[in-house]
Every structure is written in C-alpha cells, then in structure tokens.
Amino acid sequence: MEKILSLLLLATSSQCFADSVYIGADYVSSNIEVSNEDVEPKATALRLGVSNNNMAFEAQYLFSNDTDNIYQVEFDLKKSTALFFVMQSDVVNGFGLDVSVGYAINDINVSGPTETINDDFQYKGFAWGLAVHQDIPYIKNTHVRLGYQSLYNKDDIEITAISLGLTYQF
C-alpha cells in the first residue's frame, strides 16, 4: 500500500507538467491460469493518471471482490498494484485507443483442504494492456473504457484481466 501511495504522490506532484489528470474505476473479470487450469475471480480497479501530449503515467490498484476455485482449491487475487506508461491515440469521433506497458505486483491467496497448498504468493514483472474508450455524450470529460491487461505471464502462470469502467478527466 505504501508503494501505491508514493506513486499517487508522484503522479499528483507532476501535475504541473501534465495537460490533464484522470481517475477511473473499472469492474474487472480477471483470469488466473495455472498449468492450463483457469480460475476467474472478479475484482475492482482504481486508476489514477497524469497525461501530457498523448502520453501518460498511470497507477492502478486492483482489489478482489470474490474467489474462484479449481478442484476445491480457492484462488483469490487479493490485490494487484501496477505502474504503466500509456501511449494514447488522438480521439476521433469520440473514440480513442490506449496502449500501456509497465510493471505489476500481484498478490494471490491460495487456500483449500489441508492436504493442498495453503499460502500467499506474489508474482511481479512486466505487464501490458490495450484499451478502447469512448466519450459519453452529454457528460463532459467522461469516458467509458473497455480494456485487456496481461498482468503476469511466466513460469506456467498467466494473470490477465478484462475490464469495463468509467474515466473522468479533470
């Protein structure tokens, strides 16, 4: 949590160099694939970014809403924190495209019967994403956003997310 707070402080202190600051909230359908078995815990993501000349730095905090299981072993994406560099297209006819690259830290809790694995795991590394957004008519500076993110993909473990949410640009 301290890392996110310091990232948010950095983002807000660089506001004097930014064209705009934005905040977003997304409903997230995450997917954790372990050895070709999938679980899909649901989550919520909060995003804060600063943008200048179609480039942005974005901090993201994702927290779990529920768990999913494989063979009675529950997987919970407790939280995911990430920092992204976002390349933004120009908005044409109300639509825009964002491509993001960055670094994510994912905390997963695994629990099940006593003879199975019961532990917390942390996966961190390269992350990337694509998002398309559209202006909402009659609501100034607000966009609806649909995105895909790869938060981790290594060592037979893949963490991805599809999100749908709102972004407000100050």
Side-chain angles (χ1 to χ4, degrees):
M1 186 66 174
E2 291 174 345
K3 292 178 184 180
I4 286 297
L5 291 176
S6 61
L7 290 174
L8 293 176
L9 180 61
L10 174 66
T12 56
S13 67
S14 63
Q15 184 174 359
C16 60
F17 301 110
D19 286 341
S20 64
V21 174
Y22 62 89
I23 188 166
D26 298 337
Y27 172 78
V28 179
S29 176
S30 58
N31 182 44
I32 303 170
E33 184 176 321
V34 180
S35 301
N36 297 323
E37 295 287 343
D38 289 4
V39 291
E40 297 178 350
K42 306 301 181 240
T44 302
L46 300 175
R47 299 176 292 107
L48 176 67
V50 291
S51 174
N52 190 5
N53 295 328
N54 292 352
M55 295 178 286
F57 285 101
E58 179 178 292
Q60 175 180 285
Y61 181 75
L62 187 143
F63 54 94
S64 178
N65 295 344
D66 72 349
T67 61
D68 198 3
N69 68 66
I70 301 173
Y71 307 119
Q72 298 180 352
V73 176
E74 289 202 1
F75 288 78
D76 183 13
L77 181 59
K78 297 296 275 184
K79 68 178 179 177
S80 175
T81 54
L83 181 62
F84 291 104
F85 172 70
V86 183
M87 295 158 280
Q88 304 166 322
S89 73
D90 289 327
V91 175
V92 178
N93 295 328
F95 287 93
L97 177 69
D98 296 343
V99 177
S100 55
V101 293
Y103 188 82
I105 302 171
N106 305 285
D107 294 331
I108 297 176
N109 176 269
V110 180
S111 60
T114 55
E115 64 275 357
T116 64
I117 298 174
N118 289 288
D119 207 350
D120 292 326
F121 298 93
Q122 188 175 76
Y123 301 100
K124 49 188 170 181
F126 176 75
W128 63 273
L130 291 171
V132 63
H133 55 86
Q134 180 185 15
D135 294 339
I136 298 176
Y138 312 112
I139 304 176
K140 190 175 180 178
N141 300 329
T142 306
H143 313 278
V144 66
R145 178 180 181 273
L146 176 65
Y148 172 83
Q149 290 182 325
S150 174
L151 298 170
Y152 186 82
N153 189 359
K154 200 187 303 183
D155 304 326
D156 217 15
I157 296 171
E158 183 177 7
I159 303 170
T160 58
I162 295 175
S163 61
L164 178 64
L166 296 174
T167 303
Y168 180 79
Q169 209 158 16
F170 295 95

